[in-house]
Amino acid sequence: MRINRGWLIFASILWSVAVNAQLTVETCQQKARENYPLIKRYELIGKSKEYNLTNAARGYLPQVALSAKATYQSEVTEIPVKLPGLEIDGLSKDQYQAVVEVNQAIWDGGVINKQKKITKASSAVEEKQLEVDLYTLNERVNDLFFGILLLNEQLKQNALLQDELKRNYAEVASYIINGIANQADLDAVKVNQLNAIQKQTELEALRTAYQEMLSVMIGEMVKSDDLLKPALREDIDMQINRPELYLMDAQYNQFEVQKSMLTAKNLPKLGAFVQGGIGNPGLNMLKNEFSPYYIAGLKLSWNFGGLYTKKNDRRLLETNQSNIDVQRETFLFNTGLQLTQQNNEVEKIRKLMQNDDEIIRLRENIRKASEVKVRNGTLTVTDMLRDITAEDQARQDKLLHEVQLLMTIYEIKNTTNN
């Protein structure tokens, strides 16, 4: 038998599309993160950082200042001696001056360098805080994802129950003909069928709501069949690797950089300057006319005022760092308690699951025996329906335990970020 190569290629493409259409919980988490409006803040934080670094670097550029003034004085400097045959004009009481001054930093004590580091540290804190805010999406995605998986399983079991009740309805109808059952028995089966249909309607409506919410979160249409049930993992990594810890590291480093700025601000500053201008009078105070002039030199400045508060400023920053240490310790303590509770929940569900199959087997045997008894006229249809409901509940419990175990494992994964 020969198979057309084109059909093989077409089939492989369809298979590839079907595989790619599957959505894992991790894929949904990533898509929700990328679709969330807050993700745009990454770009804004990056731009702010770039602008601030550029502005800080421009502190090394020559600083140019222009000033002008016009004044009127009530009195001016005069030469108190009059020489025979020599007349010296006095200064004018209205005076004018325009000055351009250029200052060039030679040594700023490291202030500009520290300012760059503070800018980077502040941006790192903002980015880590954004990571913390976005991380909360994972829990919301998990709830919707596993909720849809559970509803899928419940709907499958509901369909099996309806098939079973349909078969029972046909049997009880035949029993009426044989005089083993009556119309009330048939009505009892019908009530259970209607209850199962109502339950199906509720489950489908809830699943639709979950699908729509998940679709909005990840930015694309989600169908219940698209979700890939994760494999059950036996090993669970309990090491805590949460973004909150990285945020605290960034905050601690920010205060450390601010401490280094305290030293830089209190060091002497050295710079060169050139001043050029025109004034009436100029530098020659005895020349009563507009004259150009210039001054060039070095300028050393040292402000000792910051030394008064330097020690307390440092202690304040160290106190803030100690506060972060306390926050870290508290966070790890509370997270450890949460992990202990979740780990115990996993162990509990696993123990419950050990008996699920046996309970289902026994309930199935009881239900079959009840059907035989009804057929023989030794048991009422109501009692048989009770056993059918009990078997269905046993199967529902198993489905619930399986999804609960997956959910709890992913809760641990979300708690630890592993």
Side-chain angles (χ1 to χ4, degrees):
M1 179 179 178
R2 298 183 60 184
I3 300 177
N4 187 284
R5 183 180 178 185
W7 279 106
L8 285 176
I9 296 175
F10 180 70
S12 65
I13 292 175
L14 288 179
W15 180 85
S16 176
V17 171
V19 171
N20 292 334
Q22 294 290 299
L23 290 173
T24 65
V25 62
E26 290 83 5
T27 302
C28 289
Q29 290 173 355
Q30 183 61 32
K31 288 179 179 290
R33 175 189 174 92
E34 294 171 354
N35 186 57
Y36 201 59
L38 195 62
I39 195 70
K40 298 176 184 177
R41 282 210 60 214
Y42 271 115
E43 183 179 356
L44 299 177
I45 292 172
K47 287 183 178 180
S48 298
K49 176 183 176 181
E50 180 183 347
Y51 296 150
N52 288 328
L53 287 175
T54 302
N55 289 339
R58 287 174 179 172
Y60 291 115
L61 297 177
Q63 305 298 308
V64 181
L66 171 65
S67 63
K69 66 178 181 178
T71 61
Y72 182 85
Q73 302 177 198
S74 62
E75 193 173 4
V76 294
T77 302
E78 295 181 351
I79 299 177
V81 179
K82 292 185 178 181
L83 299 177
L86 180 62
E87 182 176 354
I88 302 175
D89 294 335
L91 293 176
S92 175
K93 291 185 177 181
D94 55 319
Q95 299 184 4
Y96 307 91
Q97 186 181 51
V99 178
V100 174
E101 184 173 353
V102 179
N103 289 280
Q104 174 62 58
I106 298 176
W107 167 246
D108 66 347
V111 170
I112 294 177
N113 183 49
K114 301 304 179 186
Q115 186 60 50
K116 288 182 178 180
K117 291 184 177 180
I118 288 178
T119 297
K120 293 178 181 178
S122 299
S123 296
V125 169
E126 290 187 64
E127 289 176 354
K128 299 306 179 186
Q129 180 62 61
L130 182 56
E131 283 287 339
V132 172
D133 295 338
L134 290 173
Y135 191 73
T136 59
L137 292 175
N138 291 350
E139 184 176 358
R140 295 161 64 182
V141 170
N142 288 354
D143 291 341
L144 294 173
F145 187 95
F146 289 106
I148 293 173
L149 290 183
L150 177 59
L151 290 168
N152 285 342
E153 299 297 333
Q154 288 177 326
L155 282 167
K156 290 178 183 178
Q157 179 56 34
N158 181 271
L160 294 176
L161 175 61
Q162 290 192 46
D163 290 341
E164 178 67 23
L165 291 172
K166 183 178 180 181
R167 185 180 64 83
N168 289 134
Y169 186 87
E171 289 183 355
V172 172
S174 66
Y175 296 160
I176 294 177
I177 298 174
N178 298 328
I180 300 175
N182 54 41
Q183 184 62 40
D185 294 327
L186 192 63
D187 291 343
V189 178
K190 189 62 177 179
V191 168
N192 278 29
Q193 284 184 300
L194 294 176
N195 287 337
I197 293 174
Q198 286 183 332
K199 185 64 175 179
Q200 177 188 357
T201 302
E202 292 177 358
L203 294 174
E204 288 177 342
L206 187 57
R207 185 176 65 177
T208 299
Y210 277 26
Q211 288 176 189
E212 291 177 354
M213 286 188 287
L214 186 58
S215 297
V216 171
M217 288 196 69
I218 70 174
E220 64 181 59
M221 185 61 65
V222 174
K223 297 180 181 178
S224 60
D225 295 337
D226 294 340
L227 305 187
L228 184 62
K229 186 177 180 180
L232 189 61
R233 296 176 54 185
E234 296 296 330
D235 59 315
I236 302 176
D237 190 352
M238 302 295 286
Q239 183 179 357
I240 300 174
N241 192 34
R242 286 280 290 274
E244 287 89 341
L245 297 177
Y246 296 108
L247 172 60
M248 295 176 198
D249 288 340
Q251 291 172 331
Y252 193 95
N253 180 64
Q254 183 181 32
F255 290 129
E256 193 67 29
V257 174
Q258 289 176 356
K259 284 196 293 186
S260 65
M261 174 63 90
L262 292 178
T263 301
K265 287 171 60 177
N266 289 287
L267 291 176
K269 312 293 187 294
L270 177 64
F273 72 93
V274 175
Q275 187 181 89
I278 185 172
N280 182 12
L283 295 181
N284 186 354
M285 299 294 294
L286 299 179
K287 192 175 182 180
N288 191 18
E289 61 183 48
F290 281 94
S291 303
Y293 65 90
Y294 73 90
I295 303 173
L298 298 175
K299 181 166 59 177
L300 178 68
S301 62
W302 197 346
N303 186 354
F304 297 100
L307 297 176
Y308 302 142
T309 60
K310 179 181 178 181
K311 183 178 292 186
N312 284 339
D313 289 340
R314 177 175 287 274
R315 288 173 176 172
L316 178 60
L317 292 173
E318 289 173 349
T319 300
N320 291 336
Q321 288 179 319
S322 298
N323 184 43
I324 291 177
D325 290 333
V326 173
Q327 291 179 24
R328 181 194 304 275
E329 185 178 354
T330 303
F331 177 79
L332 290 174
F333 180 82
N334 291 333
T335 306
L337 286 179
Q338 186 177 4
L339 285 173
T340 300
Q341 179 183 2
Q342 291 171 342
N343 192 49
N344 289 335
E345 183 69 15
V346 167
E347 295 303 318
K348 183 194 76 173
I349 296 174
R350 280 179 171 162
K351 289 180 180 179
L352 292 174
M353 292 178 66
Q354 292 175 359
N355 297 320
D356 280 340
D357 289 333
E358 180 65 13
I359 292 174
I360 291 174
R361 187 185 68 82
L362 295 173
R363 285 294 182 186
E364 185 178 4
N365 291 341
I366 294 172
R367 187 258 306 165
K368 290 180 178 178
S370 297
E371 290 176 348
V372 173
K373 291 178 181 179
V374 170
R375 192 177 301 119
N376 295 331
T378 59
L379 187 72
T380 65
V381 172
T382 302
D383 291 333
M384 181 190 69
L385 291 174
R386 187 180 301 114
D387 292 334
I388 292 175
T389 302
E391 180 190 356
D392 176 68
Q393 185 60 51
R395 297 183 185 278
Q396 293 279 4
D397 289 342
K398 180 182 179 180
L399 296 175
L400 179 61
H401 291 157
E402 290 176 349
V403 177
Q404 278 182 334
L405 180 59
L406 284 172
M407 287 186 67
T408 308
I409 289 176
Y410 269 82
E411 284 176 3
I412 293 177
K413 184 177 180 180
N414 189 61
T415 302
T416 60
N417 191 30
N418 289 314

